[in-house]
């Protein structure tokens, strides 16, 4: 008998677990005797007390029985020899798992050990002052948020603060009762898909698209149709003749192209949804950061027909680790969406919600947004400046006036050259990320999605110069 100790916890517990495995895997059969404590202790080089304590633990779990004067015996009703799970490769247990097994793994957390100059787009702007005031709000909230289950659709104070904020900043007029707090856009979309889509029904996504939205819909069993995006956003004239149930859009700042959906297209999209009885999921993930004169209000602000399910997130405006966002429900879907969210997780953490409500109510949130916007504007200009200074003849920069990333297209670079460029840049401490994974099929020219929130203006200048140097190295013909 070779007992395997797992090195976790105290010695007698490890011994008990090792013996338990022997029993469950049938190597100690029903009614057989465990070794005498003295001889097992000697064989293992441990104290007899350790063995006695391990046997006592097994007895308390009713796996063995001990009578005074006789050896410890394995209970006879204990053991149906089990095959260890790790040896079995389990086939997908549901249609859902069959579908999720086909999906490419996607993360927004970036590389574990990030390069020195990382142009990863998933990072939010981190301001030390924000973290300091957030900590104070969190500590206070921990005291007064209460220890009971929160309302599953969110704290009333937060829902009310969000509805006032949306009217001021995004032109969305809604009642606090229409707002559901969720743990980010991802949960919003899953809850919405469950509520409005049957497996096998169709949904439209943009091309290029936000991969995690595509995955959520595919996992749900939706049949996806891609509709092209141009410089005015989704090409509404190409919406399918057979209407989908759901249309996923990022109108304020198309992800990842950066286009803003024009007013004419917004109206066409709403008309199409009303005429065809479909729902629009508006993902307003970074609509707060617009560098033009006056930010365009959300699509939902034009939605008199109540077809838009509006979703916002604090992942970009505060930080993604917070995992808080919201849905603004069309009246007719409100009860169904509330029930779906309640069944999902009984509500988001009330401490974080209470802290956020206080943050919004005190207007510190909007002050933070103003400061972030100013800083992001500096960073964006630094990147644009660096790119035009060092790479003017090599790239085209996609037109975009909002958000936290830019898209650039190479004028003369093959996809093989792009692979070399990404690898070489990484060796030089520069993290760059191709845009083609966000397309169903790679576009004719390779391009990059450059996040600028995570680096200072000076670092962004250096990153642009580094990129130019790497490009020169990698641009030999294939
Ligand atoms: C297009 C898009 N939507 C939504 C989000 C935010 O998702 P969540 O609120 O789940 O963090 C992101 C984050 O990068 C995004 O790129």
């Amino acid at each position: 008998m070779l007992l395997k100790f797992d090195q976790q916890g105290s010695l007698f517990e490890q011994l008990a677990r090792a013996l338990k495995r022997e029993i469950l895997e049938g190597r100690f059969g029903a009614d057989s005797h465990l070794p005498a404590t003295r001889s097992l202790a000697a064989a293992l080089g441990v104290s007899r007390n350790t063995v006695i304590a391990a046997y006592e633990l097994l007895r308390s779990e009713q796996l063995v029985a001990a009578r005074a004067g006789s050896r410890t015996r394995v209970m006879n009703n204990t053991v149906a020899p089990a095959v260890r799970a790790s040896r079995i490769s389990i086939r997908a247990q549901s249609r859902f798992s069959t579908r999720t097994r086909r999906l490419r793994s996607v993360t927004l957390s970036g590389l574990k050990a990030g390069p020195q100059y990382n142009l990863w787009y998933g990072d939010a702007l981190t301001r030390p002052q924000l973290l300091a005031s957030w900590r104070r709000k969190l500590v206070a909230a921990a005291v007064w948020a209460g220890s009971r289950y929160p309302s599953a659709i969110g704290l009333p104070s937060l829902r009310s603060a969000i509805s006032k904020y949306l009217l001021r900043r995004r032109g969305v007029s809604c009642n606090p009762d229409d707002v559901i707090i969720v743990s980010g856009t991802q949960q919003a979309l899953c809850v919405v898909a469950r509520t409005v889509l049957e497996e096998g029904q169709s949904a439209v996504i943009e091309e290029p698209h936000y991969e995690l939205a595509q995955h959520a819909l595919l996992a749900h069993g939706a049949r996806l149709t891609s509709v092209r995006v141009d410089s005015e956003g989704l090409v509404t004239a190409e919406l399918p003749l057979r209407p989908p149930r759901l249309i996923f859009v990022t109108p304020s700042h198309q992800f990842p192209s950066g286009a803003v959906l024009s007013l004419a297209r917004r109206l066409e999209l709403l008309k199409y949804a009303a005429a065809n009885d479909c729902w629009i999921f508006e993902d307003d993930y970074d609509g707060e950061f617009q560098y033009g004169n006056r930010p365009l209000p959300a699509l939902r602000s034009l939605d008199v027909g109540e077809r838009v399910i509006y979703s916002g997130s604090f992942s970009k405006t505060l930080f993604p680790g917070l995992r808080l966002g919201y849905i603004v429900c069309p009246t007719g879907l409100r009860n169904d969406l509330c029930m779906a969210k309640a069944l999902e997780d009984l509500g988001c953490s009330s401490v974080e919600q209470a802290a956020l409500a206080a943050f919004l109510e005190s207007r510190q949130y909007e002050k933070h947004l103003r400061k972030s916007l100013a800083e992001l504007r500096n960073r964006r200009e630094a990147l644009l400046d660096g790119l035009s200074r060092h790479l003017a003849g090599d790239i085209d920069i996609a037109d975009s006036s909002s958000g936290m990333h830019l898209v650039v297209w190479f004028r003369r670079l093959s996809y093989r050259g792009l692979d070399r460029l990404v690898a070489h840049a990484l060796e030089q401490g520069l993290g760059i990320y191709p845009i083609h994974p966000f397309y169903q099929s790679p576009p004719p020219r390779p391009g990059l999605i450059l996040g600028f929130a995570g680096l200072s203006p000076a670092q962004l200048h250096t990153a642009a110069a580094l990129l130019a140097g790497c490009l020169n190295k990698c641009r030999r013909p294939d």
Side-chain angles (χ1 to χ4, degrees):
M1 174 183 53
L2 188 66
L3 291 174
K4 276 202 208 113
F5 286 61
D6 59 17
Q7 313 300 329
Q8 313 271 328
S10 60
L11 199 53
F12 82 91
E13 288 168 331
Q14 293 185 45
L15 175 58
R17 278 195 296 275
L19 288 165
K20 182 172 177 176
R21 205 174 309 118
E22 296 297 308
I23 295 170
L24 293 175
E25 291 182 0
R27 285 185 288 280
F28 280 123
D31 265 340
S32 66
H33 288 109
L34 295 186
T37 50
R38 209 181 298 277
S39 52
L40 185 58
L44 295 175
V46 300
S47 77
R48 186 166 169 236
N49 278 347
T50 300
V51 179
I52 291 172
Y55 283 15
E56 184 51 33
L57 200 56
L58 293 174
R59 203 183 60 78
S60 71
E61 292 183 22
Q62 300 178 15
L63 289 165
V64 300
R67 251 187 301 125
S70 66
R71 282 187 29 211
T72 301
R73 180 178 57 80
V74 176
M75 296 288 274
N76 60 12
N77 58 355
T78 324
V79 195
V83 182
R84 249 193 280 154
S86 60
R87 289 204 207 114
I88 309 170
S89 136
I90 296 172
R91 66 179 173 79
Q93 298 292 290
S94 62
R95 287 197 299 271
F96 182 83
S97 299
T98 306
R99 293 189 293 263
T100 55
R101 284 186 183 196
R102 287 192 210 118
L103 302 175
R104 186 174 91 87
S105 95
V106 184
T107 172
L108 287 176
S109 9
L111 297 174
K112 275 208 178 77
Q116 187 179 4
Y117 300 99
N118 197 359
L119 294 169
W120 177 248
Y121 87 94
D123 290 340
L125 178 75
T126 39
R127 294 177 49 245
Q129 303 91 319
L130 166 71
L131 295 181
S133 50
W134 178 249
R135 192 175 57 228
R136 284 193 295 276
K137 289 277 182 283
L138 207 51
V139 169
V143 177
W144 64 265
S147 52
R148 309 174 98 180
Y149 280 105
S151 153
I153 58 166
L155 293 194
S157 56
L158 181 57
R159 290 191 281 122
S160 155
I162 287 174
S163 74
K164 286 186 225 152
Y165 164 81
L166 286 177
L167 187 59
R168 279 198 304 276
R169 299 283 299 222
R170 305 296 299 126
V172 173
S173 161
C174 64
N175 196 300
D177 288 343
D178 301 329
V179 177
I180 301 179
I181 308 300
V182 288
S183 62
T185 314
Q186 203 59 27
Q187 187 179 53
L189 184 57
C190 290
V191 164
V192 165
R194 206 165 306 136
T195 303
V196 304
L197 260 181
E198 296 287 9
E199 261 182 77
Q201 280 185 323
S202 69
V204 160
I205 56 165
E206 299 160 314
E207 170 67 351
H209 57 270
Y210 177 46
E211 230 181 343
L212 282 166
Q214 182 203 39
H215 283 194
L217 292 169
L218 285 174
H220 184 76
R223 279 186 299 109
L224 294 189
T225 306
S226 297
V227 173
R228 196 165 57 89
V229 164
D230 66 12
S231 58
E232 281 186 59
L234 187 81
V235 182
T236 40
E238 295 179 12
L239 282 163
L241 287 177
R242 259 186 90 190
R245 201 88 245 277
L246 183 69
I247 303 172
F248 176 91
V249 274
T250 46
S252 302
H253 186 225
Q254 201 279 327
F255 187 86
S257 75
V260 177
L261 191 65
S262 65
L263 179 64
R265 298 251 181 104
R266 285 173 190 235
L267 295 171
E268 266 173 47
L269 178 60
L270 292 170
K271 216 159 120 192
Y272 175 94
N276 293 296
D277 210 18
C278 38
W279 299 104
I280 299 170
F281 185 100
E282 177 177 14
D283 175 6
D284 199 15
Y285 65 106
D286 68 358
E288 277 86 357
F289 299 126
Q290 300 189 23
Y291 309 104
N293 294 337
R294 196 180 154 74
L296 259 190
L299 174 66
R300 161 87 189 205
S301 71
L302 300 168
D303 176 33
V304 284
E306 297 247 357
R307 306 309 303 175
V308 176
I309 305 161
Y310 176 83
S311 167
S313 169
F314 294 96
S315 290
K316 297 287 185 198
T317 53
L318 290 174
F319 47 92
L322 183 58
R323 306 310 305 134
L324 281 177
Y326 45 90
I327 300 173
V328 179
C329 314
T331 317
L333 288 180
R334 187 187 170 276
N335 290 348
D336 297 336
L337 287 168
C338 290
M339 184 57 102
K341 165 65 183 171
L343 293 176
E344 176 87 10
D345 58 10
L346 294 183
C348 299
S349 151
S350 42
V351 177
E352 266 87 356
Q353 288 191 65
L356 187 55
F359 206 56
L360 264 83
E361 283 295 357
S362 68
R363 297 281 185 109
Q364 264 174 293
Y365 179 63
E366 276 159 273
K367 195 169 143 203
H368 160 73
L369 285 184
R370 272 197 304 281
K371 295 206 161 151
S372 300
L373 184 65
E375 182 54 30
L376 284 169
R377 191 190 296 276
N378 289 340
R379 294 183 183 206
R380 182 172 175 275
E381 278 165 13
L383 180 59
L384 283 169
D385 186 49
L387 293 175
S388 55
R389 203 177 287 182
H390 299 288
L391 288 141
D394 297 307
I395 55 168
D396 292 314
I397 304 173
D399 191 25
S400 158
S401 58
S402 46
M404 303 159 101
H405 71 265
L406 289 172
V407 172
V408 298
W409 298 100
F410 290 102
R411 293 193 184 153
R412 293 171 297 275
L413 188 72
S414 64
Y415 273 96
R416 292 256 286 284
L418 178 74
D419 289 343
R420 282 199 296 272
L421 176 66
V422 171
H424 182 63
L426 199 55
E427 284 166 15
Q428 306 302 307
L430 175 67
I432 48 172
Y433 303 90
I435 195 168
H436 62 267
F438 302 99
Y439 283 77
Q440 302 290 2
S441 46
R445 290 192 289 164
L448 297 175
I449 173 166
L450 302 176
F452 53 79
L455 297 180
S456 69
Q459 287 172 319
L460 287 161
H461 267 290
T462 312
L466 258 176
L467 179 58
C470 295
L471 186 63
N472 277 336
K473 269 259 159 69
C474 297
R475 211 175 11 200
R476 65 179 146 80
D478 291 311

